[in-house]
Amino acid sequence: MSNDAYTLASEAAAALHRASGLDTFDVALVMGSGWVPAADAIGETVGEVPFTDLPGFRAPAVAGHGGKIRVLRTSSGRHALVFLGRTHLYEGLGVDAVVHGVRTAAAAGVRTLVLTNAAGGLRPETQNVGDPVLISDHINLTGANPITGTTFIDLTEVYSRRLRALVREIDPTLSEGVYVAFRGPTYETPAEIRMLRTLGGDMVGMSTVLEAIAAREANLEVLGLSLVTNPGAGLSGEPLNHEEVLEVGRATAARMGVLLAKVVDRL
Ligand code: 8IG
């Protein structure tokens, strides 16, 4: 999937058009772990396509990461592609696999992309577990990049200022933060968490940044939302585990669903 990654995405987009009977879609949302239960609130399901039915997609490796694309119709009549699950760099399938959903959404006609994730919080002084945070910017420490060659993409405003302002109109209590991504799959050491705080990070996770870069290459307008599900390693005295991520997601699904539904209807 290297030179032909964009062709493969076009083929997946064509398959989505055939499966849904729709010519285009208004928005795509990638539901990270913790966000999948919120998908139901966004609109009425008009179709579902398992990843395994589409060229270039793999079934996700992680519990709670779903494994299909749902086509939704919102109350205002917009059509959304909802990715229930994503491929992560730590799965070892390569960077093209990680951004295949974003390239497919772009090829399918989407102009706006909502990237959600669950993340560790680097600012427990001001963040609560279960809070969504608007991603204002990112620091890519994955060592990877989805773009190869002399395509020098401007990343001055990866996460749209306009969309962030729109979300803050809907929920003025939301704060903004810088999302740092590592490859994973290990969580950080306490020393790495101290480093990330010094570097200016506010959340840490293992996703989103490569997808956001691929989206900017395709000229999509990007909104990023992190659900803080744990304080970073060493900040709370507790070890980290994936089950607490899913638990926080279940507990906050209603709030996240209402927020996303309002956002999608106002894009
Ligand atoms: I949820 O503390 C979740 N994902 N790297 N660190 C990293 N990823 C995460 C974390 C975390 N919490």
Side-chain angles (χ1 to χ4, degrees), residues 133-203:
V133 179
L134 280 165
I135 302 175
S136 58
D137 202 348
H138 75 219
I139 300 175
N140 176 11
L141 297 182
T142 66
N145 197 298
I147 304 168
T148 300
T150 51
T151 311
F152 302 109
I153 302 283
D154 176 59
L155 298 183
T156 307
E157 191 181 321
V158 177
Y159 303 90
S160 161
R161 201 170 280 285
R162 184 185 82 84
L163 293 180
R164 278 182 276 145
L166 190 146
V167 177
R168 280 197 314 270
E169 274 178 33
I170 294 167
D171 185 348
T173 70
L174 290 192
S175 59
E176 297 200 346
V178 172
Y179 177 84
V180 188
F182 276 127
R183 174 189 181 277
T186 49
Y187 293 118
E188 293 68 39
T189 63
E192 287 165 344
I193 292 294
R194 288 194 295 276
M195 173 186 80
L196 298 183
R197 283 165 57 89
T198 302
L199 290 179
D202 298 301
M203 299 84 76

Short mmCIF file of all heavy atoms in Angstrom, two decimals, residues 133-203:
data_model
loop_
_atom_site.label_atom_id
_atom_site.label_comp_id
_atom_site.label_asym_id
_atom_site.label_seq_id
_atom_site.Cartn_x
_atom_site.Cartn_y
_atom_site.Cartn_z
N VAL A 133 -11.52 17.70 25.61
CA VAL A 133 -10.66 18.87 25.40
C VAL A 133 -10.52 19.09 23.90
O VAL A 133 -10.29 18.13 23.15
CB VAL A 133 -9.26 18.67 26.03
CG1 VAL A 133 -8.36 19.87 25.80
CG2 VAL A 133 -9.36 18.35 27.52
N LEU A 134 -10.66 20.32 23.46
CA LEU A 134 -10.46 20.65 22.05
C LEU A 134 -8.97 20.64 21.75
O LEU A 134 -8.18 21.27 22.47
CB LEU A 134 -10.99 22.06 21.77
CG LEU A 134 -12.49 22.19 21.59
CD1 LEU A 134 -12.88 23.67 21.70
CD2 LEU A 134 -12.89 21.64 20.22
N ILE A 135 -8.58 19.94 20.71
CA ILE A 135 -7.17 19.93 20.33
C ILE A 135 -6.86 21.21 19.56
O ILE A 135 -7.47 21.49 18.52
CB ILE A 135 -6.83 18.69 19.48
CG1 ILE A 135 -7.18 17.40 20.26
CG2 ILE A 135 -5.36 18.70 19.07
CD1 ILE A 135 -6.99 16.11 19.46
N SER A 136 -5.95 22.00 20.10
CA SER A 136 -5.58 23.27 19.45
C SER A 136 -4.39 23.08 18.52
O SER A 136 -4.22 23.87 17.57
CB SER A 136 -5.25 24.33 20.49
OG SER A 136 -4.20 23.87 21.33
N ASP A 137 -3.56 22.08 18.80
CA ASP A 137 -2.34 21.87 18.02
C ASP A 137 -1.78 20.52 18.44
O ASP A 137 -2.30 19.91 19.38
CB ASP A 137 -1.34 23.00 18.31
CG ASP A 137 -0.32 23.19 17.20
OD1 ASP A 137 -0.22 22.33 16.30
OD2 ASP A 137 0.42 24.19 17.25
N HIS A 138 -0.75 20.06 17.74
CA HIS A 138 -0.18 18.78 18.16
C HIS A 138 1.35 18.80 18.10
O HIS A 138 1.95 19.68 17.47
CB HIS A 138 -0.76 17.61 17.36
CG HIS A 138 -0.27 17.45 15.94
ND1 HIS A 138 -1.08 17.08 14.90
CD2 HIS A 138 0.97 17.56 15.39
CE1 HIS A 138 -0.38 16.99 13.79
NE2 HIS A 138 0.87 17.26 14.06
N ILE A 139 1.93 17.83 18.78
CA ILE A 139 3.37 17.56 18.69
C ILE A 139 3.49 16.10 18.26
O ILE A 139 3.02 15.20 18.97
CB ILE A 139 4.09 17.81 20.04
CG1 ILE A 139 3.92 19.28 20.48
CG2 ILE A 139 5.57 17.46 19.92
CD1 ILE A 139 4.50 19.58 21.88
N ASN A 140 4.07 15.90 17.10
CA ASN A 140 4.16 14.56 16.52
C ASN A 140 5.47 13.91 16.92
O ASN A 140 6.52 14.19 16.34
CB ASN A 140 4.04 14.66 14.99
CG ASN A 140 4.21 13.32 14.30
OD1 ASN A 140 4.22 12.27 14.94
ND2 ASN A 140 4.35 13.35 12.99
N LEU A 141 5.42 13.06 17.92
CA LEU A 141 6.62 12.32 18.36
C LEU A 141 6.54 10.85 17.95
O LEU A 141 7.18 10.00 18.55
CB LEU A 141 6.80 12.45 19.88
CG LEU A 141 7.04 13.87 20.41
CD1 LEU A 141 7.25 13.83 21.93
CD2 LEU A 141 8.24 14.53 19.74
N THR A 142 5.75 10.57 16.93
CA THR A 142 5.65 9.17 16.46
C THR A 142 6.87 8.77 15.65
O THR A 142 7.10 7.59 15.43
CB THR A 142 4.41 8.96 15.57
OG1 THR A 142 4.56 9.71 14.35
CG2 THR A 142 3.13 9.36 16.27
N GLY A 143 7.62 9.76 15.15
CA GLY A 143 8.73 9.44 14.24
C GLY A 143 8.25 9.11 12.84
O GLY A 143 9.05 8.73 11.98
N ALA A 144 6.96 9.21 12.59
CA ALA A 144 6.40 8.85 11.28
C ALA A 144 5.70 10.06 10.67
O ALA A 144 5.41 11.05 11.36
CB ALA A 144 5.42 7.70 11.42
N ASN A 145 5.45 9.95 9.37
CA ASN A 145 4.71 10.98 8.64
C ASN A 145 4.03 10.30 7.46
O ASN A 145 4.65 9.48 6.80
CB ASN A 145 5.68 12.08 8.15
CG ASN A 145 4.96 13.36 7.76
OD1 ASN A 145 4.14 13.36 6.84
ND2 ASN A 145 5.26 14.43 8.46
N PRO A 146 2.77 10.60 7.21
CA PRO A 146 2.08 9.92 6.12
C PRO A 146 2.48 10.39 4.73
O PRO A 146 2.12 9.76 3.74
CB PRO A 146 0.60 10.22 6.39
CG PRO A 146 0.61 11.50 7.15
CD PRO A 146 1.87 11.48 7.97
N ILE A 147 3.21 11.50 4.67
CA ILE A 147 3.55 12.08 3.37
C ILE A 147 5.00 11.79 3.06
O ILE A 147 5.88 11.93 3.92
CB ILE A 147 3.29 13.60 3.38
CG1 ILE A 147 1.83 13.86 3.77
CG2 ILE A 147 3.59 14.20 2.02
CD1 ILE A 147 1.55 15.30 4.08
N THR A 148 5.24 11.36 1.84
CA THR A 148 6.60 11.07 1.39
C THR A 148 6.89 11.94 0.19
O THR A 148 6.00 12.15 -0.66
CB THR A 148 6.71 9.58 0.98
OG1 THR A 148 6.39 8.77 2.12
CG2 THR A 148 8.11 9.24 0.51
N GLY A 149 8.11 12.48 0.12
CA GLY A 149 8.48 13.28 -1.04
C GLY A 149 8.46 14.76 -0.72
O GLY A 149 8.40 15.16 0.44
N THR A 150 8.48 15.57 -1.75
CA THR A 150 8.68 17.02 -1.58
C THR A 150 7.36 17.78 -1.51
O THR A 150 7.22 18.85 -2.10
CB THR A 150 9.53 17.57 -2.73
OG1 THR A 150 8.94 17.13 -3.96
CG2 THR A 150 10.96 17.09 -2.66
N THR A 151 6.42 17.22 -0.79
CA THR A 151 5.15 17.92 -0.57
C THR A 151 5.24 18.61 0.78
O THR A 151 5.07 17.98 1.82
CB THR A 151 3.98 16.92 -0.58
OG1 THR A 151 4.10 16.10 -1.73
CG2 THR A 151 2.63 17.63 -0.62
N PHE A 152 5.56 19.90 0.79
CA PHE A 152 5.80 20.61 2.04
C PHE A 152 4.49 21.25 2.51
O PHE A 152 4.16 22.35 2.11
CB PHE A 152 6.90 21.66 1.85
CG PHE A 152 8.19 21.06 1.37
CD1 PHE A 152 8.64 21.28 0.07
CD2 PHE A 152 8.96 20.25 2.20
CE1 PHE A 152 9.83 20.72 -0.38
CE2 PHE A 152 10.14 19.69 1.75
CZ PHE A 152 10.58 19.92 0.46
N ILE A 153 3.78 20.51 3.33
CA ILE A 153 2.44 20.94 3.75
C ILE A 153 2.54 21.92 4.92
O ILE A 153 3.24 21.65 5.89
CB ILE A 153 1.60 19.71 4.19
CG1 ILE A 153 1.50 18.68 3.06
CG2 ILE A 153 0.22 20.14 4.69
CD1 ILE A 153 0.53 19.03 1.99
N ASP A 154 1.81 23.02 4.83
CA ASP A 154 1.75 23.98 5.93
C ASP A 154 0.91 23.42 7.07
O ASP A 154 -0.22 22.99 6.86
CB ASP A 154 1.14 25.30 5.43
CG ASP A 154 0.97 26.29 6.56
OD1 ASP A 154 1.98 26.63 7.21
OD2 ASP A 154 -0.18 26.70 6.83
N LEU A 155 1.48 23.43 8.28
CA LEU A 155 0.73 22.91 9.45
C LEU A 155 0.50 24.01 10.49
O LEU A 155 0.40 23.75 11.68
CB LEU A 155 1.47 21.72 10.08
CG LEU A 155 1.66 20.48 9.20
CD1 LEU A 155 2.35 19.36 10.00
CD2 LEU A 155 0.33 19.96 8.65
N THR A 156 0.43 25.26 10.02
CA THR A 156 0.22 26.38 10.95
C THR A 156 -1.13 26.26 11.66
O THR A 156 -1.25 26.64 12.82
CB THR A 156 0.27 27.72 10.19
OG1 THR A 156 1.48 27.77 9.45
CG2 THR A 156 0.21 28.89 11.15
N GLU A 157 -2.12 25.74 10.96
CA GLU A 157 -3.46 25.62 11.58
C GLU A 157 -4.06 24.27 11.22
O GLU A 157 -4.99 24.17 10.43
CB GLU A 157 -4.35 26.78 11.12
CG GLU A 157 -5.64 26.88 11.91
CD GLU A 157 -6.56 28.01 11.43
OE1 GLU A 157 -6.07 29.10 11.10
OE2 GLU A 157 -7.78 27.78 11.39
N VAL A 158 -3.49 23.22 11.81
CA VAL A 158 -3.98 21.87 11.52
C VAL A 158 -5.43 21.74 12.00
O VAL A 158 -6.29 21.20 11.30
CB VAL A 158 -3.09 20.81 12.21
CG1 VAL A 158 -3.65 19.41 11.96
CG2 VAL A 158 -1.66 20.92 11.70
N TYR A 159 -5.67 22.22 13.21
CA TYR A 159 -7.00 22.07 13.85
C TYR A 159 -7.72 23.42 13.71
O TYR A 159 -7.33 24.41 14.33
CB TYR A 159 -6.83 21.63 15.31
CG TYR A 159 -6.04 20.35 15.39
CD1 TYR A 159 -4.63 20.37 15.51
CD2 TYR A 159 -6.66 19.12 15.25
CE1 TYR A 159 -3.90 19.20 15.53
CE2 TYR A 159 -5.93 17.93 15.26
CZ TYR A 159 -4.55 17.98 15.39
OH TYR A 159 -3.82 16.82 15.39
N SER A 160 -8.74 23.42 12.89
CA SER A 160 -9.39 24.64 12.42
C SER A 160 -9.83 25.56 13.57
O SER A 160 -10.60 25.16 14.45
CB SER A 160 -10.61 24.24 11.58
OG SER A 160 -11.51 25.31 11.47
N ARG A 161 -9.36 26.80 13.50
CA ARG A 161 -9.75 27.83 14.45
C ARG A 161 -11.27 28.05 14.39
O ARG A 161 -11.94 28.20 15.41
CB ARG A 161 -9.00 29.11 14.06
CG ARG A 161 -8.84 30.15 15.10
CD ARG A 161 -7.86 31.22 14.60
NE ARG A 161 -6.46 30.83 14.75
CZ ARG A 161 -5.80 30.82 15.91
NH1 ARG A 161 -6.44 31.15 17.03
NH2 ARG A 161 -4.54 30.47 15.97
N ARG A 162 -11.79 28.05 13.16
CA ARG A 162 -13.22 28.26 12.96
C ARG A 162 -14.05 27.17 13.65
O ARG A 162 -15.02 27.46 14.35
CB ARG A 162 -13.53 28.26 11.45
CG ARG A 162 -14.97 28.57 11.09
CD ARG A 162 -15.21 28.43 9.58
NE ARG A 162 -15.43 27.04 9.18
CZ ARG A 162 -16.61 26.41 9.25
NH1 ARG A 162 -17.68 27.06 9.67
NH2 ARG A 162 -16.73 25.15 8.88
N LEU A 163 -13.64 25.93 13.48
CA LEU A 163 -14.40 24.83 14.08
C LEU A 163 -14.27 24.83 15.60
O LEU A 163 -15.23 24.52 16.32
CB LEU A 163 -13.95 23.48 13.50
CG LEU A 163 -14.27 23.26 12.02
CD1 LEU A 163 -13.78 21.89 11.56
CD2 LEU A 163 -15.77 23.40 11.76
N ARG A 164 -13.09 25.20 16.10
CA ARG A 164 -12.93 25.26 17.56
C ARG A 164 -13.84 26.33 18.15
O ARG A 164 -14.47 26.12 19.19
CB ARG A 164 -11.47 25.57 17.92
CG ARG A 164 -10.58 24.34 17.90
CD ARG A 164 -9.17 24.68 18.31
NE ARG A 164 -8.39 25.18 17.19
CZ ARG A 164 -7.46 26.13 17.26
NH1 ARG A 164 -7.20 26.74 18.41
NH2 ARG A 164 -6.79 26.48 16.19
N ALA A 165 -13.93 27.46 17.48
CA ALA A 165 -14.81 28.54 17.97
C ALA A 165 -16.26 28.08 17.94
O ALA A 165 -17.03 28.36 18.88
CB ALA A 165 -14.61 29.79 17.11
N LEU A 166 -16.61 27.36 16.89
CA LEU A 166 -17.99 26.85 16.78
C LEU A 166 -18.32 25.89 17.93
O LEU A 166 -19.39 25.96 18.54
CB LEU A 166 -18.13 26.16 15.43
CG LEU A 166 -19.48 25.75 14.93
CD1 LEU A 166 -19.51 25.89 13.40
CD2 LEU A 166 -19.76 24.31 15.30
N VAL A 167 -17.38 25.01 18.26
CA VAL A 167 -17.62 24.06 19.35
C VAL A 167 -17.70 24.80 20.69
O VAL A 167 -18.52 24.46 21.55
CB VAL A 167 -16.54 22.97 19.38
CG1 VAL A 167 -16.74 22.04 20.57
CG2 VAL A 167 -16.55 22.17 18.08
N ARG A 168 -16.88 25.82 20.87
CA ARG A 168 -16.94 26.57 22.13
C ARG A 168 -18.23 27.37 22.27
O ARG A 168 -18.66 27.67 23.38
CB ARG A 168 -15.71 27.46 22.29
CG ARG A 168 -14.46 26.70 22.76
CD ARG A 168 -13.41 27.66 23.29
NE ARG A 168 -13.26 28.78 22.36
CZ ARG A 168 -12.40 28.79 21.34
NH1 ARG A 168 -11.59 27.78 21.16
NH2 ARG A 168 -12.35 29.82 20.53
N GLU A 169 -18.85 27.72 21.13
CA GLU A 169 -20.19 28.33 21.21
C GLU A 169 -21.19 27.33 21.75
O GLU A 169 -22.09 27.67 22.51
CB GLU A 169 -20.66 28.79 19.82
CG GLU A 169 -20.20 30.15 19.41
CD GLU A 169 -20.67 30.50 18.00
OE1 GLU A 169 -21.77 30.05 17.60
OE2 GLU A 169 -19.91 31.19 17.30
N ILE A 170 -21.04 26.07 21.34
CA ILE A 170 -21.95 25.01 21.78
C ILE A 170 -21.69 24.68 23.25
O ILE A 170 -22.62 24.50 24.02
CB ILE A 170 -21.79 23.76 20.89
CG1 ILE A 170 -22.24 24.07 19.46
CG2 ILE A 170 -22.54 22.57 21.47
CD1 ILE A 170 -21.83 23.01 18.45
N ASP A 171 -20.42 24.57 23.63
CA ASP A 171 -20.05 24.27 25.02
C ASP A 171 -18.91 25.18 25.47
O ASP A 171 -17.73 24.85 25.28
CB ASP A 171 -19.65 22.80 25.15
CG ASP A 171 -19.37 22.43 26.60
OD1 ASP A 171 -19.27 23.34 27.45
OD2 ASP A 171 -19.25 21.22 26.90
N PRO A 172 -19.24 26.32 26.07
CA PRO A 172 -18.22 27.30 26.46
C PRO A 172 -17.30 26.79 27.58
O PRO A 172 -16.28 27.42 27.84
CB PRO A 172 -19.03 28.50 26.96
CG PRO A 172 -20.41 28.30 26.42
CD PRO A 172 -20.61 26.82 26.33
N THR A 173 -17.65 25.66 28.21
CA THR A 173 -16.79 25.16 29.29
C THR A 173 -15.58 24.38 28.76
O THR A 173 -14.68 24.06 29.52
CB THR A 173 -17.57 24.21 30.24
OG1 THR A 173 -17.86 22.98 29.55
CG2 THR A 173 -18.87 24.85 30.72
N LEU A 174 -15.56 24.08 27.45
CA LEU A 174 -14.47 23.26 26.93
C LEU A 174 -13.15 24.03 26.92
O LEU A 174 -13.10 25.19 26.53
CB LEU A 174 -14.77 22.81 25.50
CG LEU A 174 -15.90 21.79 25.32
CD1 LEU A 174 -15.88 21.25 23.91
CD2 LEU A 174 -15.76 20.67 26.32
N SER A 175 -12.08 23.35 27.32
CA SER A 175 -10.76 23.97 27.21
C SER A 175 -10.05 23.41 25.97
O SER A 175 -10.52 22.46 25.34
CB SER A 175 -9.94 23.71 28.48
OG SER A 175 -9.80 22.34 28.67
N GLU A 176 -8.94 24.03 25.65
CA GLU A 176 -8.14 23.62 24.50
C GLU A 176 -6.80 23.11 24.98
O GLU A 176 -6.32 23.52 26.04
CB GLU A 176 -7.89 24.81 23.55
CG GLU A 176 -9.15 25.38 22.96
CD GLU A 176 -8.89 26.19 21.70
OE1 GLU A 176 -7.71 26.52 21.43
OE2 GLU A 176 -9.87 26.47 21.00
N GLY A 177 -6.18 22.25 24.21
CA GLY A 177 -4.87 21.75 24.60
C GLY A 177 -4.08 21.20 23.43
O GLY A 177 -4.64 20.90 22.37
N VAL A 178 -2.79 21.06 23.67
CA VAL A 178 -1.87 20.50 22.68
C VAL A 178 -1.76 18.99 22.90
O VAL A 178 -1.47 18.54 24.01
CB VAL A 178 -0.48 21.17 22.80
CG1 VAL A 178 0.54 20.47 21.91
CG2 VAL A 178 -0.57 22.66 22.48
N TYR A 179 -2.03 18.24 21.83
CA TYR A 179 -2.02 16.77 21.90
C TYR A 179 -0.67 16.27 21.41
O TYR A 179 -0.21 16.62 20.32
CB TYR A 179 -3.14 16.23 20.99
CG TYR A 179 -3.22 14.72 20.90
CD1 TYR A 179 -3.91 13.98 21.85
CD2 TYR A 179 -2.65 14.04 19.83
CE1 TYR A 179 -4.02 12.60 21.76
CE2 TYR A 179 -2.75 12.65 19.72
CZ TYR A 179 -3.43 11.94 20.69
OH TYR A 179 -3.54 10.58 20.58
N VAL A 180 -0.03 15.47 22.23
CA VAL A 180 1.25 14.86 21.86
C VAL A 180 1.01 13.40 21.52
O VAL A 180 0.30 12.70 22.25
CB VAL A 180 2.26 14.93 23.02
CG1 VAL A 180 3.64 14.46 22.54
CG2 VAL A 180 2.34 16.31 23.62
N ALA A 181 1.59 12.94 20.42
CA ALA A 181 1.44 11.54 20.05
C ALA A 181 2.77 10.82 20.06
O ALA A 181 3.77 11.29 19.50
CB ALA A 181 0.81 11.41 18.67
N PHE A 182 2.78 9.67 20.73
CA PHE A 182 3.84 8.70 20.62
C PHE A 182 3.33 7.51 19.80
O PHE A 182 2.13 7.33 19.65
CB PHE A 182 4.25 8.18 22.01
CG PHE A 182 5.24 9.03 22.75
CD1 PHE A 182 4.98 9.46 24.04
CD2 PHE A 182 6.45 9.37 22.17
CE1 PHE A 182 5.91 10.23 24.74
CE2 PHE A 182 7.39 10.14 22.86
CZ PHE A 182 7.11 10.57 24.15
N ARG A 183 4.25 6.68 19.32
CA ARG A 183 3.85 5.49 18.58
C ARG A 183 3.11 4.48 19.45
O ARG A 183 2.20 3.80 18.99
CB ARG A 183 5.09 4.83 17.98
CG ARG A 183 4.82 3.49 17.29
CD ARG A 183 6.13 2.82 16.92
NE ARG A 183 5.97 1.55 16.24
CZ ARG A 183 5.75 0.38 16.87
NH1 ARG A 183 5.63 0.35 18.18
NH2 ARG A 183 5.64 -0.72 16.18
N GLY A 184 3.49 4.40 20.75
CA GLY A 184 2.96 3.32 21.58
C GLY A 184 3.53 1.99 21.13
O GLY A 184 4.45 1.94 20.31
N PRO A 185 3.01 0.87 21.57
CA PRO A 185 1.83 0.73 22.41
C PRO A 185 2.11 0.85 23.91
O PRO A 185 1.17 0.73 24.69
CB PRO A 185 1.35 -0.70 22.10
CG PRO A 185 2.62 -1.44 21.83
CD PRO A 185 3.53 -0.45 21.15
N THR A 186 3.34 1.08 24.30
CA THR A 186 3.57 1.31 25.73
C THR A 186 3.01 2.67 26.12
O THR A 186 3.04 3.62 25.32
CB THR A 186 5.07 1.30 26.06
OG1 THR A 186 5.75 2.16 25.12
CG2 THR A 186 5.65 -0.11 25.94
N TYR A 187 2.52 2.79 27.31
CA TYR A 187 2.27 4.10 27.89
C TYR A 187 3.63 4.71 28.25
O TYR A 187 4.67 4.05 28.13
CB TYR A 187 1.36 3.99 29.12
CG TYR A 187 -0.05 3.53 28.80
CD1 TYR A 187 -0.55 2.34 29.32
CD2 TYR A 187 -0.90 4.28 27.99
CE1 TYR A 187 -1.85 1.91 29.05
CE2 TYR A 187 -2.20 3.87 27.71
CZ TYR A 187 -2.67 2.68 28.24
OH TYR A 187 -3.94 2.26 27.97
N GLU A 188 3.62 5.95 28.69
CA GLU A 188 4.88 6.65 28.96
C GLU A 188 5.46 6.23 30.32
O GLU A 188 4.77 5.74 31.19
CB GLU A 188 4.65 8.18 28.99
CG GLU A 188 4.28 8.75 27.65
CD GLU A 188 2.91 8.29 27.16
OE1 GLU A 188 1.97 8.19 27.99
OE2 GLU A 188 2.79 7.99 25.96
N THR A 189 6.73 6.53 30.47
CA THR A 189 7.33 6.49 31.80
C THR A 189 7.01 7.83 32.49
O THR A 189 6.74 8.83 31.81
CB THR A 189 8.85 6.33 31.72
OG1 THR A 189 9.39 7.50 31.07
CG2 THR A 189 9.25 5.08 30.94
N PRO A 190 7.07 7.85 33.81
CA PRO A 190 6.89 9.15 34.49
C PRO A 190 7.89 10.21 34.01
O PRO A 190 7.53 11.39 33.90
CB PRO A 190 7.10 8.78 35.97
CG PRO A 190 6.61 7.35 36.05
CD PRO A 190 7.08 6.72 34.75
N ALA A 191 9.13 9.82 33.67
CA ALA A 191 10.10 10.80 33.17
C ALA A 191 9.65 11.38 31.83
O ALA A 191 9.81 12.58 31.56
CB ALA A 191 11.48 10.17 33.05
N GLU A 192 9.09 10.52 30.99
CA GLU A 192 8.58 11.03 29.69
C GLU A 192 7.39 11.96 29.89
O GLU A 192 7.25 12.97 29.18
CB GLU A 192 8.19 9.84 28.79
CG GLU A 192 9.41 9.11 28.25
CD GLU A 192 9.10 7.73 27.67
OE1 GLU A 192 8.01 7.17 27.92
OE2 GLU A 192 9.98 7.20 26.97
N ILE A 193 6.54 11.65 30.86
CA ILE A 193 5.41 12.54 31.15
C ILE A 193 5.93 13.91 31.62
O ILE A 193 5.44 14.96 31.17
CB ILE A 193 4.46 11.91 32.19
CG1 ILE A 193 3.76 10.68 31.58
CG2 ILE A 193 3.44 12.93 32.69
CD1 ILE A 193 2.80 10.98 30.43
N ARG A 194 6.94 13.93 32.47
CA ARG A 194 7.52 15.22 32.90
C ARG A 194 8.09 15.97 31.70
O ARG A 194 7.92 17.19 31.56
CB ARG A 194 8.61 14.99 33.96
CG ARG A 194 8.07 14.56 35.31
CD ARG A 194 9.14 14.67 36.42
NE ARG A 194 10.27 13.75 36.23
CZ ARG A 194 10.27 12.46 36.62
NH1 ARG A 194 9.21 11.94 37.23
NH2 ARG A 194 11.33 11.70 36.43
N MET A 195 8.74 15.24 30.79
CA MET A 195 9.29 15.86 29.57
C MET A 195 8.17 16.49 28.75
O MET A 195 8.30 17.63 28.28
CB MET A 195 10.01 14.80 28.74
CG MET A 195 10.47 15.31 27.37
SD MET A 195 11.17 14.02 26.32
CE MET A 195 9.71 13.23 25.67
N LEU A 196 7.07 15.76 28.57
CA LEU A 196 5.98 16.27 27.73
C LEU A 196 5.34 17.51 28.34
O LEU A 196 4.93 18.43 27.62
CB LEU A 196 4.93 15.19 27.50
CG LEU A 196 5.41 13.93 26.76
CD1 LEU A 196 4.25 12.97 26.54
CD2 LEU A 196 6.07 14.28 25.44
N ARG A 197 5.26 17.57 29.66
CA ARG A 197 4.73 18.77 30.32
C ARG A 197 5.65 19.96 30.03
O ARG A 197 5.19 21.04 29.70
CB ARG A 197 4.59 18.53 31.83
CG ARG A 197 3.37 17.69 32.19
CD ARG A 197 3.45 17.16 33.63
NE ARG A 197 3.60 18.17 34.66
CZ ARG A 197 2.58 18.78 35.27
NH1 ARG A 197 1.34 18.50 34.94
NH2 ARG A 197 2.81 19.67 36.22
N THR A 198 6.96 19.73 30.10
CA THR A 198 7.92 20.80 29.81
C THR A 198 7.83 21.25 28.36
O THR A 198 7.98 22.43 28.05
CB THR A 198 9.36 20.29 30.10
OG1 THR A 198 9.43 19.89 31.46
CG2 THR A 198 10.40 21.37 29.82
N LEU A 199 7.55 20.30 27.47
CA LEU A 199 7.48 20.61 26.03
C LEU A 199 6.22 21.40 25.66
O LEU A 199 6.10 21.87 24.54
CB LEU A 199 7.51 19.32 25.21
CG LEU A 199 8.82 18.54 25.17
CD1 LEU A 199 8.65 17.28 24.34
CD2 LEU A 199 9.95 19.39 24.61
N GLY A 200 5.28 21.49 26.58
CA GLY A 200 4.06 22.23 26.26
C GLY A 200 2.89 21.37 25.86
O GLY A 200 1.89 21.87 25.34
N GLY A 201 2.98 20.06 26.11
CA GLY A 201 1.85 19.18 25.81
C GLY A 201 0.80 19.25 26.91
O GLY A 201 1.11 19.54 28.07
N ASP A 202 -0.44 19.00 26.53
CA ASP A 202 -1.54 18.95 27.49
C ASP A 202 -2.20 17.58 27.56
O ASP A 202 -2.80 17.24 28.57
CB ASP A 202 -2.60 20.01 27.12
CG ASP A 202 -2.02 21.41 27.17
OD1 ASP A 202 -1.56 21.82 28.25
OD2 ASP A 202 -2.01 22.10 26.13
N MET A 203 -2.17 16.85 26.44
CA MET A 203 -2.71 15.48 26.40
C MET A 203 -1.68 14.61 25.67
O MET A 203 -0.91 15.10 24.85
CB MET A 203 -4.04 15.39 25.61
CG MET A 203 -5.19 16.22 26.16
SD MET A 203 -5.13 17.93 25.60
CE MET A 203 -5.73 17.81 23.91
#
